[in-house]
Amino acid sequence: MITLTEENYIKAIYHLGKQGVNNVSTNTVAKEMETKASSVTDMIKKLSEKGYADYKKYKGVSLTSKGRSVAIGIIRKHRLWEVFLVDKLNFSWDEIHEVAEQLEHIKSDKLIKQLDAFLDFPTHDPHGDPIPDATGYMTSIDKILLSQAPVGDTFICVGVQDSSSEFLKYLDKNKIALGTAFKILYKEPFDNSVTILVNNKELIISNMIANNLFVKKS
Amino acid sequence: MITLTEENYIKAIYHLGKQGVNNVSTNTVAKEMETKASSVTDMIKKLSEKGYADYKKYKGVSLTSKGRSVAIGIIRKHRLWEVFLVDKLNFSWDEIHEVAEQLEHIKSDKLIKQLDAFLDFPTHDPHGDPIPDATGYMTSIDKILLSQAPVGDTFICVGVQDSSSEFLKYLDKNKIALGTAFKILYKEPFDNSVTILVNNKELIISNMIANNLFVKKS
DNA sequence: ATATATTTTTAGGTTAATCTAAAAATTATT
DNA sequence: AATAATTTTTAGATTAACCTAAAAATATAT
Ligand SMILES: [Mn+2]
Ligand SMILES: [Mn+2]
Ligand SMILES: [Mn+2]
Ligand SMILES: [Mn+2]
């Protein structure tokens, strides 16, 4: 039996250390979980005892393959529910994360299997993140950050790094969505801002924005 | 802030004492919650302090109007999710209760509002129980137990008292579903069994079954 | 009305998840 | 290499939800 809190820690370790393979420091987990380092120490001891994590004192924590498969299962549920909320219940992409944080903990194999089928086996969530299939396999489209993309080429938006409501609303306001195509006209060396041509209009994007938008060459 | 456990106690008190109006004894709640009487005493003190329940030592517990509206909200969610599972995800009516027990605690006003619309504002769940609307109003069809229905008349099945998987599977096996019509041919005084004509076949139903099937005159 | 049985509450403990404060280990700086 | 700063762990408390066992109240039976 695994508790909701344990699931959330496992997910955090997965996201912080490249799919849970890299060691993550106690403080890093504490920040992500909005809790204190001492609480994290307690919990990663427990996760380690239960076989979900590898932990050596003062050396940080990583996931075992058992822990990794738990993490992937939760992520699968999170992203499928996000698709449900957008595709079926008309939520916008900036309203879904908090609800999915709750729904991802519902335990029922049949539920997630049927939901997957009902949604027609989506491969990506509304933020462009890949949805692991029932076996844990994830298709990774090769995407780069807009800040890393060269001037002159044409790209399409395929994902976001930050999926906070604020950032997503900024994109909405500027009519940038997944699938939107644009051309990189100019990169200002002084502040690393990027001028793009999108929807037949020039738009200047700050480095911070460019650092949170995933694109791929079109 | 209300915890999941508090919600479950409130729901239990609601179901045990006619919509939470009647006083319910500590032991009754303990049995329903599969816990000990001492734990119940602790919890109903807390519910009372938080304004969800009225409690006097040794006198049992009932719900305040605040508690009642919490209960109705949870029941609304439970039943809407049950409709979702059956109508959209192809669950059968005997597989949904446990999942709905989890889903009923998801907190999002928009979610339940949109789900209601997505399901086309259903008024009854797959077991024939009424679904409270957003204001808490519930339509109650006047139904009686098959065991109370007179011989000779024709009835349709409109609900179940017991919604355990075992009972529901029995009904499936005998091709009895919500909306199924039948005629009461005979009631055996010795064991109170009931002979009905259903799907053009005679079927003898034990008193226990007849005590768990709601019908209405057709 | 008294004794017996049952129900309910209280007292005191446990576990999971958190916290603060202090100690120990590690890392960075002179 | 020694000292200072930072990170991590330990020790000891707290809270929610539960438990057992004993005490108190209520209900039932003689
Ligand atoms: Mn999300
Ligand atoms: Mn997402
Ligand atoms: Mn149910
Ligand atoms: Mn139901």
Side-chain angles (χ1 to χ4, degrees), chain A residues 3 5-6 9 34-36 38-39 42-43 46 58:
Chain A
T3 69
T5 312
E6 286 167 356
Y9 272 94
E34 297 181 3
T35 185
K36 293 299 154 74
S38 55
S39 305
D42 280 352
M43 180 53 84
K46 182 151 64 117
Y58 297 101

Side-chain angles (χ1 to χ4, degrees), chain B residues 78-79 82 96-97 125-129 163:
Chain B
H78 183 106
R79 293 179 180 166
E82 287 192 341
I96 56 182
H97 184 72
D125 83 0
H127 308 112
D129 292 314
S163 62

